[in-house]
Amino acid sequence: QIQKLHCIPWRVRYSKDRQWDENESLDKAQDLARRVYPLIPLCQHRCIPSVPHECGLPILSMHGCYDNLCHSRNFWTWLEEAAKIPAGVIPQSWKDKTVPVYEVPFWQHWYDI
């Protein structure tokens, strides 16, 4: 079972009462993430979360569970930017649907908002 204490990046301080090994905890969090909250690779280090199962998930720029950013609001805005698709080809209503980055399970703790 995933516990929040194993899903928080190393830079966030844990409870003072708990003894923990930083490397073991980071390895455990990365392993859990790969199995339970997989990212779908798009291009190079650009990924899209696989959960929640909704339209409008953000595109993440992931660098080994550190130095991570929310790159685009959703797949359609990313595609328009990355593929240089002319304005108007992708319907605006598709680009407007977004899941806020802080609502993406697990990964919300692993990137800078």
Side-chain angles (χ1 to χ4, degrees):
Q1 175 163 357
I2 295 177
Q3 299 173 8
K4 186 167 183 165
L5 61 98
H6 291 128
C7 301
I8 299 175
W10 64 270
R11 66 182 175 270
V12 177
R13 295 177 83 60
Y14 288 16
S15 163
K16 292 180 183 176
D17 316 339
R18 188 179 183 292
Q19 296 294 321
W20 60 282
D21 179 306
E22 182 178 316
N23 293 327
E24 178 185 340
S25 186
L26 182 60
D27 290 344
K28 184 177 250 182
Q30 289 174 339
D31 181 55
L32 288 169
R34 284 189 292 269
R35 290 185 289 120
V36 180
Y37 300 106
L39 294 173
I40 301 165
L42 297 174
C43 179
Q44 296 174 339
H45 54 275
R46 305 288 193 256
C47 304
I48 190 168
S50 59
V51 292
H53 302 291
E54 296 181 32
C55 293
L57 291 168
I59 303 301
L60 308 177
S61 177
M62 304 296 285
H63 291 273
C65 280
Y66 63 91
D67 189 28
N68 305 317
L69 302 169
C70 180
H71 181 71
S72 295
R73 293 181 310 128
N74 62 35
F75 176 78
W76 302 111
T77 58
W78 171 79
L79 186 64
E80 192 172 62
E81 295 165 8
K84 299 185 183 355
I85 295 175
V89 172
I90 297 173
Q92 187 63 41
S93 61
W94 295 5
K95 295 187 290 184
D96 289 343
K97 172 69 175 147
T98 62
V99 174
V101 79
Y102 54 83
E103 290 182 12
V104 176
F106 185 84
W107 295 109
Q108 65 196 5
H109 303 293
W110 289 90
Y111 47 84
D112 303 319
I113 297 176

